Amino acid sequence: TSGRSTNRVDAARREFRRRREVLELQFLTAAARSGMPRDLEWHDCRFEDEVLLAADPDDGRLRAFVGVTVCFRPVEESELEDDPAVVHRHAATALFVFDQGRWTTHGRAIFNLAPSEAIDRLGLVPLSQRGSRAAGG
């Protein structure tokens, strides 16, 4: 089964690379619609190159984690409109889920944690990144 598992992870990695631009846009759209954080809108989101994969030890589902830098702006006429701290950049990790052979996202961002820290915090099993740079990812 480990060979089949390796093939599944490799296929998931290739699929993420193939659809990355669309996934990033889906993430930003979903995150912006979430209303979180309250009174702030997502103004800009920069994605890091590296993608870390992990598996859920309970159900084996794959997750992808990408470091992001997010810049918010206050919603007009909100309590935060005049708060200068709002416009600073915020480090976070964007979360993606591999479901039924396709990557998707609900716009979940884990703030103040790097991808490897988010994987650890969620109790997931990090997957080897062997060859991911050479393979273009």
Side-chain angles (χ1 to χ4, degrees):
T1 346
S2 73
R4 216 168 84 196
S5 177
T6 300
N7 288 344
R8 181 176 75 110
V9 171
D10 289 345
R13 205 175 261 122
R14 283 191 304 272
E15 177 69 5
F16 192 91
R17 277 195 303 268
R18 188 178 73 75
R19 296 194 61 233
R20 176 138 187 189
E21 284 185 36
V22 170
L23 289 165
E24 288 178 0
L25 182 60
Q26 286 175 349
F27 172 83
L28 187 53
T29 301
R33 285 186 185 147
S34 73
M36 298 299 287
R38 201 185 74 185
D39 291 338
L40 298 176
E41 56 187 35
W42 289 63
H43 175 62
D44 188 30
C45 184
R46 310 268 165 143
F47 291 83
E48 294 176 6
D49 291 337
E50 186 175 37
V51 178
L52 296 185
L53 296 185
D56 187 314
D58 296 328
D59 62 15
R61 287 177 65 188
L62 300 179
R63 309 281 193 278
F65 296 79
V66 179
V68 294
T69 302
V70 182
C71 191
F72 296 108
R73 64 179 164 212
V75 173
E76 281 187 38
E77 299 181 21
S78 73
E79 293 178 15
L80 299 174
E81 189 170 24
D82 297 322
D83 186 344
V86 169
V87 296
H88 293 304
R89 299 196 180 287
H90 302 273
T93 294
L95 177 60
F96 301 86
V97 180
F98 196 61
D99 193 25
Q100 298 179 345
R102 288 182 50 99
W103 285 104
T104 186
T105 183
H106 301 290
R108 180 173 179 197
I110 304 167
F111 284 90
N112 304 315
L113 292 180
S116 60
E117 295 169 324
I119 289 168
D120 189 49
R121 175 77 52 92
L122 294 173
L124 303 177
V125 178
L127 299 174
S128 166
Q129 299 300 308
R130 70 175 173 77
S132 63
R133 284 283 167 218

